[in-house]
């Protein structure tokens, strides 16, 4: 039985497994510094690829972070997700048994699910035939295991939902988790996302002419595309009253969200549709455009993304676009985890008081028009009250979340 | 924010989350593409007669298939050309084609408006595993690893089918894809329920798609998860889901009411206990007594270790008996993984449609169990939406 009406929802725990470090503190420090954490790929054979840089998670030893699930039975994305979730719970100062005893579940976003597992199976297929696929790896392939891994690792008995809306999936997850907690369907939800580096996406983005050689420079006149990346991220959501009662640190309040669909083209985003999504998100969160102090951009580093995202922002904000930066310049494009990392850094920005930077910006592209402030360099001290987190995807799946400083 | 603005905003948010908390959902149309035909009544008749769907795997690629039964949508290319058209669809994979076809039929059966706030919630497991694994294979087989076809790249993302459905029908509302495997049907309905309840959408096409291909057929065969006689299948089913009150207010009638869609994670508990508990909770939420359940549509047929667990749990939850009608779609359509749940519901709706007035007052449960520990249950009934009597059931708390 839930309470009537609605509950305020806050974020009390943050967990990250990324090229910028493991744990929210390491991740945040790297973002604030504005120094790229991308590197040469080592997790797959890059022979023959002209571009070989990505946001790869180096030296990730799942046994260091996971206590319940056997890493051998789970794919890399599931390991990222479960590790990030465990870190988020620890960060929230919540006893594991208290969480497990509560009405708690997880909702995780992903683009390619267990793509590294699928590529192991493809390697077996290539070496011999489909007949020779290893049964245990087949069992690890379904993408829905990502949220299941979180529930298993933390002993949760509620929902375990994996949303597969590609590169906006973590924002979808955060929105759904917010509704579940606000509406009384759950008392705790872990929301985030996970993805693993894989050859097919690396090849696909290269063929689309969207892959940068070594440096990702969103908003810069010399930008040349994205860097693929991987990682796992989780935010712990709970009702405000509960957080206050247990004396929890509250990073931010989830104010609302919106999702919509371009319904125009599979890979070319539509500024009008994105603008509509921004407006709906504001309405849902009960805020106005002038209240938005910062936008955590989708900011992939492609010309198309910059033009579309800035045009959409102009439609809503007119000539006063809030500072808009892209952490993909630092960690690359973590695909289904991307807007989750965006949400995490938004929480930190609200809690610690700064604006996350865009790295590698030397000259803002004048073609984007006046008034585009990508917070170049390193973090800027500020006291944002309400921030907006963007996530767009192939298939036209837009998702925007709004977070506020807890007052 | 001024305090007055803050107050208004808080009220808006509060009313949004309170919105429709006790509203039942109506299924107002259903569309299918199955090995037993392109119509839910045909599907139901085949299932209830124990008839197998088509096993013709001609033209599904060059890879050898495992020595195991198959169930395949017959003549998909022709059906697609006839109902959707060939123009501009050259690059669409089988998953997307199946999804487009089932959605086309659901929309043809939908008598209400479509409008800008209509969306799609699609259940999958890995998207088209054939598309992504073949794409990956190309990176190994080509002279240069990047010599892949850029036009096929969108097929490798799991939300491809939902995106294409939206493009075809101009559906700009909520568009979600979830990877739920055996739980995808229940999860898609839950996602839709929340989106409708929060006012994010007016109506949603909710369903699942799974294609038959060498990669998944061998995957099932190698995994050991399926009984030796269990065929691997494919299919798509979509339901048009709307708030029952809105349907009724417009003077329209639905095919069925959805009263509950519950899920849980077994974790340390046994799967069977968890499923029995979820069925019980779903019935309570529906305002139904276990004795009122006349039909069950099972999800784990052919799944080693799960089939018996599911049946025992249903028995336990329904007072020690299986209801008089037990629907097992998988004998007909095969193991359809993430579209199984939607097909379980579609077969039930087809049976009710076929029975006409004789189905009045019937209540059914639809169950799902995953190897990973998720369990789920949907409760539906044939309550006449046109009477305006929505009964005690509902999706409230």
């Amino acid at each position: 039985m839930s309470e009537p009406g609605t509950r305020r929802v806050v974020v009390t725990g943050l967990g990250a497994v990324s090229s910028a470090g493991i744990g929210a503190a390491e991740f945040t420090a790297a973002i604030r510094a504005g120094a790229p954490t991308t590197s040469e790929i080592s997790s797959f054979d890059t022979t023959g690829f002209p571009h070989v840089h990505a946001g790869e998670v180096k030296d990730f030893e799942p046994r260091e972070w996971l206590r319940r699930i056997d890493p051998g039975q789970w794919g890399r994305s599931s390991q990222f997700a479960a590790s990030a979730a465990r870190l988020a719970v620890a960060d929230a100062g919540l006893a594991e048994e208290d969480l497990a005893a509560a009405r708690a579940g997880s909702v995780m976003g992903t683009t390619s699910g267990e793509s590294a597992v699928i590529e192991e199976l493809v390697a077996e297929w290539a070496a011999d035939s489909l007949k020779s696929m290893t049964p245990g790896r087949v069992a690890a392939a379904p993408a829905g295991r990502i949220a299941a891994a979180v529930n298993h690792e933390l002993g949760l008995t509620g929902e375990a939902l994996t949303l597969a809306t590609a590169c906006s999936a973590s924002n979808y997850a955060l929105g759904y988790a917010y509704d579940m907690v606000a509406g009384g369907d759950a008392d705790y939800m872990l929301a985030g996302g996970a993805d693993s580096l894989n050859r097919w996406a690396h090849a696909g983005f290269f063929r689309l002419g969207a892959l940068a050689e070594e440096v990702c420079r969103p908003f810069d006149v010399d930008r040349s595309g994205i860097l693929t990346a991987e990682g796992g991220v989780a935010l712990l959501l709970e009702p405000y009253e509960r957080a206050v009662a247990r004396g929890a640190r509250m990073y931010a309040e989830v104010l609302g969200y919106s999702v919509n669909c371009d319904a125009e083209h599979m890979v070319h985003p539509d500024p009008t549709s994105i603008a509509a999504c921004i407006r709906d998100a504001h309405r849902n969160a009960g805020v106005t455009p002038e209240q938005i102090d910062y936008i955590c951009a989708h900011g992939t580093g492609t010309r198309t993304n910059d033009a579309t995202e800035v045009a959409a922002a102009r439609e809503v904000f007119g000539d006063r676009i809030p500072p808009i930066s892209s952490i993909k310049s630092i960690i690359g494009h973590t695909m289904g985890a991307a807007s989750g990392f965006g949400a995490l850094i938004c929480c930190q920005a609200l809690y610690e008081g700064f604006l996350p930077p865009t790295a590698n910006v030397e000259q803002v592209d004048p073609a984007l028009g006046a008034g585009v402030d990508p917070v170049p360099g390193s973090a800027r001290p500020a006291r944002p009250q309400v921030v907006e987190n963007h996530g767009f995807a192939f298939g036209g799946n837009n998702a925007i979340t709004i977070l506020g400083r807890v007052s | 924010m001024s305090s007055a603005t803050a107050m208004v905003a808080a009220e808006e948010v509060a009313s949004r989350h309170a919105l429709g908390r006790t509203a039942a959902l109506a299924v107002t149309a259903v569309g299918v593409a199955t090995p037993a035909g392109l119509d839910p009544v045909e599907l139901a008749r085949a299932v209830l007669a124990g008839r197998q769907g088509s096993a013709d795997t001609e033209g599904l690629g060059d890879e050898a298939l495992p020595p195991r039964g198959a169930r395949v949508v017959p003549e998909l290319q022709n059906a697609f050309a006839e109902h959707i058209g060939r123009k501009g669809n050259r690059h669409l994979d089988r998953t997307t084609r199946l999804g487009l076809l089932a959605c086309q039929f659901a929309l043809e059966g939908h008598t209400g408006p479509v409008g800008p706030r209509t969306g799609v919630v699609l259940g999958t497991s890995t998207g088209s595993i054939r598309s992504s694994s073949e794409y990956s294979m190309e990176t190994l087989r080509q002279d240069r690893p990047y010599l892949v076809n850029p036009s096929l790249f969108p097929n490798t993302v799991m939300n491809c089918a939902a995106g294409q459905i939206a493009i075809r029908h101009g559906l700009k509302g909520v568009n979600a894809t979830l990877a739920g495997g055996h739980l995808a049907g229940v999860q898609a309905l839950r996602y839709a329920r929340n989106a409708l309840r929060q006012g994010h959408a007016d109506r949603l096409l909710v369903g699942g798609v799974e294609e038959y291909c060498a990669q998944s057929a061998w995957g099932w065969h190698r995994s050991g998860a399926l009984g030796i006689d269990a065929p691997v299948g494919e299919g798509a089913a979509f339901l048009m889901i709307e708030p029952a009150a809105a349907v009724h207010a417009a003077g329209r009638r639905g095919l069925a009411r959805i009263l509950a869609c519950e899920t849980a994670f077994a974790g340390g508990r046994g799967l069977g206990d968890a499923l029995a508990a979820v069925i019980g909770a779903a019935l309570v939420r529906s305002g139904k007594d276990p004795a009122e359940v006349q039909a069950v549509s099972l999800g784990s047929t052919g799944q080693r270790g799960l089939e018996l667990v599911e049946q025992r749990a249903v028995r336990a939850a329904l007072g020690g008996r299986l209801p008089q009608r037990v629907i097992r779609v998988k004998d007909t359509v095969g193991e359809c993984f993430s579209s199984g749940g939607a097909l379980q519901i579609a077969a039930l709706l087809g049976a009710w449609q076929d029975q006409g007035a004789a189905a009045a007052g019937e209540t059914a449960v639809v169950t799902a169990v995953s190897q990973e520990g998720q369990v789920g249950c949907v409760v539906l009934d044939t309550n006449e939406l046109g009477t305006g009597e929505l009964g005690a059931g509902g999706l409230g708390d």
Side-chain angles (χ1 to χ4, degrees), chain A residues 62-88:
Chain A
R63 284 182 175 76
E64 235 178 285
W65 311 100
L66 297 169
R67 286 190 223 136
R68 267 217 191 92
I69 63 173
D70 168 12
Q73 294 184 359
W74 297 81
R76 187 167 170 88
S77 299
S78 292
Q79 294 171 13
F80 284 155
S83 301
R86 181 168 277 295
L87 286 161

Side-chain angles (χ1 to χ4, degrees), chain B residues 25-208:
Chain B
L25 298 176
V27 187
T28 54
V30 53
V32 299
T34 82
L38 305 178
D39 175 87
V41 174
E42 272 181 65
L43 169 67
R45 286 178 182 171
V47 168
L48 295 174
R51 248 197 334 272
Q52 299 177 358
S54 169
D56 182 7
T57 55
E58 270 305 297
L60 286 182
D62 305 330
E63 291 291 327
L65 298 170
R68 167 182 292 273
R71 301 284 182 271
V72 177
V73 177
E75 306 283 336
L76 178 64
Q77 300 298 40
N78 294 343
F80 193 81
E82 182 188 338
H83 296 280
I84 311 280
R86 284 200 177 85
K87 200 173 175 308
N89 295 328
R90 202 160 38 98
H91 292 303
L92 300 181
D93 60 28
R94 194 169 177 91
T95 291
T96 300
R97 286 169 192 269
L98 288 165
L100 279 166
L101 207 52
C103 281
Q104 179 75 26
F105 297 144
L107 284 166
E108 283 170 8
H110 172 67
T111 57
V114 175
R117 285 166 44 80
T118 300
V120 180
V121 184
L122 185 148
T124 182
S125 174
T126 51
S128 170
I129 190 72
R130 178 174 174 182
S131 292
S132 55
S133 58
E134 284 182 350
Y135 212 77
S136 177
M137 185 62 127
E138 284 297 291
T139 70
L140 299 172
R141 281 187 176 162
Q142 295 290 346
D143 293 344
R144 299 239 177 262
Y146 54 84
L147 292 175
V148 288
N149 182 344
S151 308
L152 298 179
F153 188 37
N155 292 350
T156 70
V157 287
M158 286 189 272
N159 62 340
C160 177
Q164 293 284 10
I165 290 162
I167 289 167
R168 175 166 178 84
H169 299 288
L171 308 178
K172 291 181 176 280
V174 170
N175 185 285
T177 299
L178 52 92
H182 284 123
L183 263 284
V186 180
Q187 291 183 337
L189 283 169
R190 282 179 64 80
Y191 190 91
R193 175 182 80 179
N194 180 64
L196 294 168
R197 192 169 70 180
Q198 308 300 351
H200 286 292
D202 290 342
R203 66 194 65 76
L204 293 162
L205 282 163
V206 183

Side-chain angles (χ1 to χ4, degrees), chain B residues 32 34-36 40 42-54 71 182 231-235 237 296-302 307 310 326-351 365-367:
Chain B
V32 299
T34 82
E42 272 181 65
L43 169 67
R45 286 178 182 171
V47 168
L48 295 174
R51 248 197 334 272
Q52 299 177 358
S54 169
R71 301 284 182 271
H182 284 123
V232 176
E234 71 173 2
V296 61
S297 195
L298 296 169
S300 301
T301 315
E307 186 166 5
E310 181 181 43
V326 180
I327 296 173
R328 293 184 176 86
V329 295
K330 291 186 182 183
D331 299 335
T332 299
V333 299
E335 173 51 63
C336 291
F337 207 18
S338 63
S339 63
L343 288 162
Q344 281 165 261
I345 295 172
L348 180 70
L349 296 174
V365 297
V366 178
T367 50

Side-chain angles (χ1 to χ4, degrees), chain A residues 374-399:
Chain A
V375 195
S378 57
R380 181 187 303 165
R383 298 284 282 167
Q385 300 294 308
V386 181
V387 302
E388 177 175 311
N389 181 38
H390 285 184
F392 318 138
F394 276 12
N397 285 177
N398 308 309

Side-chain angles (χ1 to χ4, degrees), chain A residues 1-7 46-50 74 110-114 118-119 122-123 125-127 129-135 138-139 141-145 147-149 151-152 155-167 172 175-176 178-180 182-185 199-208 255-267 270 273 283-288 291 386 393-397, chain B residues 1-2 5-6 9-10 12-18 21 63-64 117 124-126 129-130 132-141 143-151 153-164 166-181 187-188 190-195 197-198 200 214-220 222-224 263-269 285 337 370-374 397:
Chain A
M1 300 295 281
S2 68
E3 315 161 16
T6 187
R7 310 190 285 187
T46 57
T47 308
F49 278 108
W74 297 81
T110 188
T111 292
S112 303
E114 288 296 2
I118 290 167
E119 295 206 311
V122 168
W125 173 24
S129 69
L130 288 166
K131 213 185 296 199
S132 60
M133 293 191 292
T134 303
V138 171
R145 289 170 55 91
N151 275 36
H152 263 300
L156 312 182
T157 56
E159 191 158 21
L161 175 64
T162 303
L163 290 168
T165 46
C167 302
Y172 271 80
Y176 184 80
Y178 159 70
D179 278 341
M180 289 299 111
D185 293 277
R199 285 171 66 91
W200 92 65
H202 201 73
F205 282 113
F206 182 81
R207 280 291 273 167
L208 288 177
L255 300 176
Y257 76 103
S258 176
V259 303
N260 77 352
C261 186
D262 294 351
E264 293 290 342
H265 196 280
M266 282 302 287
V267 298
D270 175 39
S273 175
R283 203 172 303 127
N284 185 266
V287 301
T288 59
Q291 287 177 275
V386 181
F394 276 12
N397 285 177
Chain B
M1 189 185 310
S2 76
T5 321
E12 268 182 23
V13 173
S15 70
R16 188 181 71 240
H17 277 288
R21 290 202 62 76
E63 291 291 327
R117 285 166 44 80
T124 182
S125 174
T126 51
I129 190 72
R130 178 174 174 182
S132 55
S133 58
E134 284 182 350
Y135 212 77
S136 177
M137 185 62 127
E138 284 297 291
T139 70
L140 299 172
R141 281 187 176 162
D143 293 344
R144 299 239 177 262
Y146 54 84
L147 292 175
V148 288
N149 182 344
S151 308
F153 188 37
N155 292 350
T156 70
V157 287
M158 286 189 272
N159 62 340
C160 177
Q164 293 284 10
I167 289 167
R168 175 166 178 84
H169 299 288
L171 308 178
K172 291 181 176 280
V174 170
N175 185 285
T177 299
L178 52 92
Q187 291 183 337
R190 282 179 64 80
Y191 190 91
R193 175 182 80 179
N194 180 64
R197 192 169 70 180
Q198 308 300 351
H200 286 292
Q215 290 79 3
S216 56
W218 277 110
W220 281 116
R222 295 286 295 150
S223 74
T263 179
F265 199 82
R269 291 180 295 171
R285 187 176 251 231
F337 207 18
S370 83
Q371 297 281 4
E372 281 76 35
Q374 290 126 315
D397 303 279

